[in-house]
C-alpha cells in the first residue's frame, strides 16, 4: 500500500468557503444554522433548481442536411395504440370476472383542479377508457383557486370510500398547491399513479416491489417488452428527471438491468451521452430537442414528450409533437414510438391496469 | 408529421413469447397468472439477480506497464480521517449544548446479529465514536441463529424507547433474516442509516427531503464538498447499485445536479463508461476492480470499497484494499480517497451527525 508515502500531497479541508453554488445553497438554509455549522452539505430541497432547457444553445443546432445518416427510414414504428388495444380487452375481461365472482368492480376517483384544457382532455380520455373496460370512475372538479385543505379533504374522502380503489389527482396543479402534500395524504393502497415516496423508494430498491409503478414509465417498459426489445445489459439514457416520468423510468430501467444514465438541463453536451444509448427515453417537454445527430444508429427511441404546437391546419388549432425530431430519428433508430400514438395510449392502459390491481388487492381477489 | 406515412413499418406486438430472460422471469411468477395475462412486464423482485462481478473477464486485465499514463502522482489524496476529525468536535459541541439546554443527550441503539469479525469491528468503532462525542450508545447482541421475531422485537422495543433516537441494525444480516422487514418495522424517525424506503423515495424525489441520508453516500458528498470539488454539471459514474451505498449515492449525486450513470455487474464494457467520469464513486467490494485505464485523467475518485486481503505481514493478518487500484489511479486522477482513511471515517461521522439530528428532531431542539 502506498497510502503512507502519498500522504504528503493532501487535500486540505476547505475551511474558508464552499464553491459558489454551494454558498448559494447555504444562504437559502441559514435558518438551519446549527446543522450547517457541522456539515457543509446543503439541504436537498435547497438544491432543487428548475430544469430549464435552453433551446437556443449550441446543443439545439439543426444538423446539416444529410449529415452522416441515410435518407431511408431505418426505424420500425412502435404502435402504442395497437399494443394498448391488445391490453385493454384483457383488463375488461378481468373486471367482468371480478364482478361475476364477488360482485365488485374497480373504482377510480379522478380529481381535476382548474380548467387547463390539456388536463381536461387527459381526464376525459381516462374516463372514457375506464368506461370501456367496466371500471367505475368519478371526476371531482375543483376551482383553480381552491384551497389546499379543500383538495386534501377531497383526497381524504376517497381514501375512506370503499368503492374507490384508485385515486388520481391530475397534474400539473396550480402553483399554490403542494403536490408533495397530496402524495403524503393519498392512501398508499390507492396511489395508482405511483407517486407516493414509498412507491418510488420500493421501485428504486432491489428486493422490494412497489404497490404501483407510475403509469407512463410502466407503459414505456411494457412497450419495449412487447416489441421484443431486450433491456438487460443495454445502455439506456433517460432525458429528463421529473418525479412522475424521468425518475421512475430510470429506476425501472435499472431494475431491468440496463446501464442507465440520466440527462437533464444541467448536463453539459447531452448529445455526447445520448449518442451512446441503445435505448433512449425522453420526457422533457421540448419539441424537437432530440435531433438525428443525438442518436446512435440502431437506437430504440421512446418519446414521452407530448408538446402541443399551434397549427391552424388542424381542427383543434394545434398538433402534438414529441421531444424527438421524428423525421430525423426515423432514419437513424431501429425502432421509435410516434407522438401521438406511442406512449400516450399505454399510459392510460397502465392506469386501468393499476386500478384493477388496486381493486383486486383491496378485495383479496386473485 | 410523417407518422401516417410511416405506419406501414410497424412493430407487431410480440404475441407468442417474450425474450428469453423475461420468459425466465415469468416462470418465477406463475402464481400471479391473471396479472401476467394482462401485462408482459414481470414483477420487479423476480428480476432481482445478484450482481456477481466476474474477476477473470477481459475487463479485469492488468494494463500494460506504463500504459498511457505518466509514472508521476497526479492525485491529491483526500484525507477522510482529517475531515472527519474536523466534523466530530462540532457534533460533540452540539451534544453538550443540547445537554446543557434541555438535559437530554442523543442515544443510539446498535443491534448486532452473529459474530462476524468485520461487523464486530465496525460496531466497536461506532460505539467508540459515539462515546467521544457524548452520544449514549447501547449494543444488543443477538445470536447468529436468532429468529426474525427476536430481531423485530428488539427493533420494536427501541422504537418506543424515548432515550433512543437512532437505531442501527449492523449489516449484513445472516441469510435467514430479511433486511427489508427490518426496515419496514424500524421507526422512520430513528432510521439513522437512511435505509427505509420512505427515506430512499424522498432522497430520489425533487421537492422532498429525507429525514436521513444514508451515512456512506452522505459522507462521500461531504468529502467532495469539503475538498472544494464541484458536483453540479459534472459527469458522475457510480459503480455498484446496492440499496445501502450505490443506489443512494447515485440519487444524491443527481440531487446535486451531476449527470449520473450507474455501472453494475450486467454492464457491458464498464471501463468505457467510467472513462467518461469526472467523479467516480465505487462501491462494489472487489479489490482492484478499477484499474488506471478505467479512468479519465483528472477524475476525482471516491473509493467506498473496503476489502480485507490476507496479509501475514500485518498484525491482524489482513489489510484493507479498496475497489480501486490505488497505485495506478493516483497517477491518473486529480484527487482520490485512500482505503483505509478515506470514506470509512466519514461514514461514522455521518452516523453521529444523523443521530444528533434525530435527537434534535425528537426534542424539537434547534
Amino acid at each position: 500500500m502506498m497510502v503512507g508515502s502519498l500522504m504528503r500531497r493532501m487535500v486540505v479541508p476547505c475551511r474558508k468557503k464552499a464553491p459558489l453554488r454551494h454558498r448559494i445553497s447555504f444562504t437559502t438554509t441559514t435558518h438551519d444554522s446549527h446543522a450547517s455549522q457541522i456539515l457543509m452539505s446543503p439541504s436537498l430541497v435547497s438544491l432543487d433548481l428548475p430544469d430549464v432547457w435552453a433551446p437556443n444553445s449550441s446543443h439545439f443546432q439543426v444538423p446539416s442536411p444529410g449529415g452522416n445518416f441515410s435518407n431511408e427510414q431505418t426505424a420500425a414504428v412502435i404502435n402504442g395504440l395497437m399494443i394498448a388495444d391488445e391490453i385493454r380487452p384483457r383488463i375488461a375481461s378481468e373486471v367482468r370476472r371480478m364482478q361475476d365472482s364477488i360482485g365488485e368492480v374497480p373504482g377510480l376517483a379522478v380529481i381535476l383542479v382548474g380548467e387547463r384544457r390539456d388536463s381536461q382532455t387527459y381526464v376525459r380520455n381516462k374516463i372514457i377508457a375506464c368506461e370501456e373496460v367496466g371500471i367505475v370512475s368519478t371526476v371531482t372538479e375543483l376551482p383553480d383557486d381552491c384551497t389546499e385543505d379543500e383538495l386534501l379533504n377531497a383526497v381524504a374522502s376517497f381514501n375512506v370510500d370503499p368503492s374507490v380503489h384508485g385515486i388520481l389527482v391530475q397534474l400539473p396543479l396550480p402553483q399554490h398547491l403542494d403536490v408533495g402534500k397530496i402524495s403524503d395524504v393519498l392512501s398508499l393502497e390507492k396511489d395508482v399513479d405511483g407517486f407516493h415516496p414509498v412507491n418510488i423508494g420500493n421501485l428504486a430498491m432491489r428486493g422490494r416491489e412497489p404497490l404501483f409503478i407510475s403509469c407512463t414509465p410502466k407503459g414505456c417498459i411494457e412497450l419495449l417488452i412487447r416489441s421484443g426489445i431486450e433491456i438487460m445489459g443495454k445502455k439506456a439514457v433517460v432525458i429528463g428527471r421529473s418525479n412522475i416520468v424521468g425518475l421512475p423510468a430510470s429506476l425501472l430501467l435499472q431494475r431491468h438491468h440496463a446501464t442507465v444514465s440520466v440527462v437533464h438541463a444541467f448536463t453539459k453536451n447531452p448529445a455526447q451521452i445520448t449518442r451512446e444509448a441503445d435505448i433512449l427515453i425522453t420526457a422533457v417537454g421540448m419539441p424537437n430537442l432530440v435531433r438525428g445527430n443525438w442518436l446512435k444508429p440502431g437506437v430504440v427511441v421512446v418519446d414521452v414528450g407530448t408538446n402541443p404546437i399551434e397549427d391552424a391546419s388542424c381542427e383543434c388549432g394545434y398538433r402534438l409533437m414529441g421531444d424527438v425530431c421524428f423525421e430525423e430519428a426515423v432514419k437513424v433508430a431501429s425502432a421509435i414510438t410516434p407522438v401521438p400514438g406511442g406512449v400516450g395510449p399505454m399510459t392510460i392502459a397502465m392506469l386501468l391496469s393499476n386500478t384493477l390491481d388496486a381493486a383486486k388487492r383491496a378485495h383479496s381477489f386473485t
Side-chain angles (χ1 to χ4, degrees), chain A residues 91 108-110 122-123 125-127 129-130 135 166-168 170 190-194 212-216 218-219 345-358:
Chain A
I91 296 172
L108 176 70
V110 179
Y122 292 137
V123 167
N125 290 341
K126 289 170 185 174
I127 297 301
C130 282
I135 292 174
I167 305 170
L168 181 158
Q170 183 66 40
K190 301 188 180 187
D191 175 37
V192 286
D193 257 341
F212 304 101
I213 298 172
S214 309
C215 302
T216 300
K218 188 174 179 177
M346 291 298 287
T347 295
I348 294 185
M350 295 305 109
L351 172 66
L352 303 177
S353 170
N354 280 353
T355 305
L356 171 63
D357 287 347

Side-chain angles (χ1 to χ4, degrees), chain A residues 149-178:
Chain A
D149 277 350
E150 286 172 316
L151 177 53
L152 292 174
N153 287 341
V155 172
S157 71
F158 290 126
N159 277 346
V160 295
D161 183 339
S163 72
V164 169
H165 306 101
I167 305 170
L168 181 158
V169 180
Q170 183 66 40
L171 299 182
L173 291 172
Q175 283 282 329
H176 69 287
L177 298 171
D178 180 353

Side-chain angles (χ1 to χ4, degrees), chain A residues 42-251:
Chain A
S43 78
L44 296 186
V45 166
S46 75
L47 290 171
D48 284 341
L49 305 172
D51 269 330
V52 181
W53 292 80
N56 295 320
S57 80
S58 59
H59 308 144
F60 302 89
Q61 282 174 359
V62 179
S64 57
N68 294 323
F69 313 118
S70 79
N71 284 319
E72 295 296 313
Q73 176 181 338
T74 59
V77 178
I78 298 175
N79 189 338
L81 279 170
M82 193 193 292
I83 295 176
D85 278 349
E86 281 223 325
I87 293 171
R88 281 199 310 275
R90 301 181 189 199
I91 296 172
S93 159
E94 276 295 280
V95 170
R96 275 194 305 276
R97 191 173 69 85
M98 189 173 175
Q99 186 164 26
D100 294 345
S101 303
I102 61 170
E104 300 277 355
V105 289
L108 176 70
V110 179
I111 301 175
L112 173 62
V113 182
E115 297 184 353
R116 281 181 65 120
R117 276 190 57 191
D118 54 349
S119 291
Q120 288 173 328
T121 304
Y122 292 137
V123 167
R124 189 166 53 242
N125 290 341
K126 289 170 185 174
I127 297 301
I128 292 170
C130 282
E131 274 176 25
E132 282 175 1
V133 299
I135 292 174
V136 173
S137 61
T138 62
V139 182
T140 303
E141 293 187 57
L142 294 173
D144 194 65
D145 61 351
C146 79
T147 65
E148 201 160 77
D149 277 350
E150 286 172 316
L151 177 53
L152 292 174
N153 287 341
V155 172
S157 71
F158 290 126
N159 277 346
V160 295
D161 183 339
S163 72
V164 169
H165 306 101
I167 305 170
L168 181 158
V169 180
Q170 183 66 40
L171 299 182
L173 291 172
Q175 283 282 329
H176 69 287
L177 298 171
D178 180 353
V179 66
K181 280 192 193 166
I182 315 303
S183 294
D184 286 335
V185 166
L186 204 151
S187 163
L188 191 58
E189 287 72 27
K190 301 188 180 187
D191 175 37
V192 286
D193 257 341
F195 298 158
H196 194 290
V198 174
N199 279 323
I200 295 288
N202 284 331
L203 172 63
M205 297 172 80
R206 288 207 289 167
R208 289 183 166 273
E209 192 86 42
L211 289 180
F212 304 101
I213 298 172
S214 309
C215 302
T216 300
K218 188 174 179 177
C220 294
I221 296 294
E222 185 73 17
L223 273 183
L224 293 175
I225 293 175
R226 284 180 180 260
S227 303
I229 294 157
E230 184 82 30
I231 302 171
M232 179 185 281
K234 294 293 164 65
K235 280 193 201 168
V237 173
V238 177
I239 314 184
R241 49 174 178 168
S242 66
N243 287 345
I244 61 176
V245 184
L247 171 69
S250 64
L251 298 173

Side-chain angles (χ1 to χ4, degrees), chain A residues 309-345:
Chain A
I309 304 295
E310 277 188 35
D311 187 341
S313 69
C314 295
E315 197 179 345
C316 57
Y318 67 92
R319 62 194 171 96
L320 293 179
M321 284 185 76
D323 293 337
V324 178
C325 179
F326 189 88
E327 293 80 352
E328 291 176 4
V330 84
K331 295 174 187 164
V332 188
S334 63
I336 185 169
T337 61
V339 177
V343 175

Side-chain angles (χ1 to χ4, degrees), chain A residues 7-8 25 27-28 32 53 82 93 101 142 148 244 246 286 300 329 334 364:
Chain A
M7 284 296 175
R8 278 161 291 158
S25 322
T27 58
T28 65
D32 196 8
W53 292 80
M82 193 193 292
S93 159
S101 303
L142 294 173
E148 201 160 77
I244 61 176
M286 284 278 295
V300 174
S334 63
S364 303

